[in-house]
Amino acid sequence: MSDNTLSSRLYPTRIDIPAETRVQIVRILNQTLAASLDLKTQAKQAHWNVKGTDFYQLHELFDELAGELEEFIDLVAERVTALGGYAVGTARAAAQNSILPEFPFDILDGREYVAALADRFAPYAKHLREAIAKTDDLGDADTADLYTEISRTIDKRLWFLDAHLQAAAVTNGNGSFGNKTQQPATVR
C-alpha cells in the first residue's frame, strides 16, 4: 500500500468534519509529520556531531530542538488519528515525503551546523504557516490552532539559530545569509 493510499485512509469517527475535508487535512498533517520527523533527526545529527569552541551550548541547543520536535511529532500524529486518519510516521516514509533537503554530512564547525539547521527550520516554518491557512480554509480551526502553536515555537527557534549567524552578516556588511540578502529593518 502506498503512502498516498495510507494518507487518505479514514476510519469511522463522530467528528463532524466531512470525510472529504478530513482526507485533505490528514494529507497536510502527514506531510508535516514527515517533515517534523526529518527535522528532528537532522537536529540530532547536529547534536551528535557538532565541534568547535561553542560545542557545549550548541550540543545542548540542538538536543533541545530535537526534543521539542519530538513533542510536535506526537501532537501531529495524534491529530491525524483523532480525525480518523492513519499517521504515516516511519523513518522511511519521512525520508520519502519530507519537504526538507538532506542534511550535509561534510560539515564540522558549530557555525556550519547552525546555518544548516536554520536552512531547514526556515522552510519548515513556511510550511507551518501555509498549513495554518489551508486548514483554516478547510474549516478546521482546531488543526489550524495546533499549527499556530507549533509555528510560534519554530519561529522562536529559527530566531535563536539566526541570532548565532546575524552578527557575522552585519559585521561583514553584506547582511546576507547564503545567497539571500537580509537588510536590517529600520523602525521609525
Side-chain angles (χ1 to χ4, degrees):
M1 184 177 293
S2 75
D3 288 344
N4 195 31
T5 304
L6 288 175
S7 68
S8 62
R9 177 196 292 176
L10 290 181
Y11 296 98
T13 181
R14 290 180 175 81
I15 288 182
D16 64 343
I17 299 171
E20 309 81 44
T21 303
R22 286 187 291 122
V23 165
Q24 292 176 63
I25 296 165
V26 165
R27 284 188 178 140
I28 296 166
L29 285 162
N30 270 315
Q31 180 69 66
T32 304
L33 184 57
S36 302
L37 284 159
D38 188 18
L39 188 56
K40 178 207 165 199
T41 62
Q42 292 191 36
K44 287 303 274 190
Q45 181 72 21
H47 165 77
W48 295 322
N49 291 291
V50 68
K51 306 284 187 257
T53 57
D54 295 326
F55 162 76
Y56 187 75
Q57 74 169 358
L58 293 177
H59 179 75
E60 291 295 313
L61 173 63
F62 298 159
D63 199 39
E64 194 173 314
L65 296 174
E68 286 174 342
L69 288 161
E70 181 66 34
E71 291 176 25
F72 298 147
I73 289 163
D74 204 43
L75 289 172
V76 169
E78 288 178 352
R79 184 63 184 161
V80 168
T81 58
L83 292 171
Y86 188 84
V88 182
T90 66
R92 289 180 187 167
Q96 181 180 357
N97 297 309
S98 179
I99 59 168
L100 304 176
E102 179 58 81
F103 199 78
F105 295 110
D106 61 345
I107 60 177
L108 183 66
D109 182 67
R111 185 171 170 71
E112 293 173 309
Y113 276 101
V114 171
L117 284 175
D119 287 345
R120 282 139 186 89
F121 267 73
Y124 181 70
K126 180 182 179 187
H127 164 78
L128 294 172
R129 277 187 285 287
E130 290 170 349
I132 292 167
K134 289 176 186 174
T135 56
D136 190 51
D137 288 348
L138 289 167
D140 186 357
D142 293 337
T143 300
D145 185 57
L146 172 69
Y147 274 117
T148 300
E149 175 187 345
I150 297 169
S151 177
R152 263 193 305 273
T153 300
I154 295 303
D155 280 352
K156 182 177 179 182
R157 291 317 197 161
L158 182 56
W159 165 51
F160 284 13
L161 294 168
D162 277 346
H164 283 85
L165 306 169
Q166 287 169 339
V170 172
T171 303
N172 293 339
N174 64 11
S176 67
F177 292 132
N179 58 7
K180 299 175 189 168
T181 300
Q182 305 282 333
Q183 296 300 327
T186 304
V187 180
R188 297 179 193 216

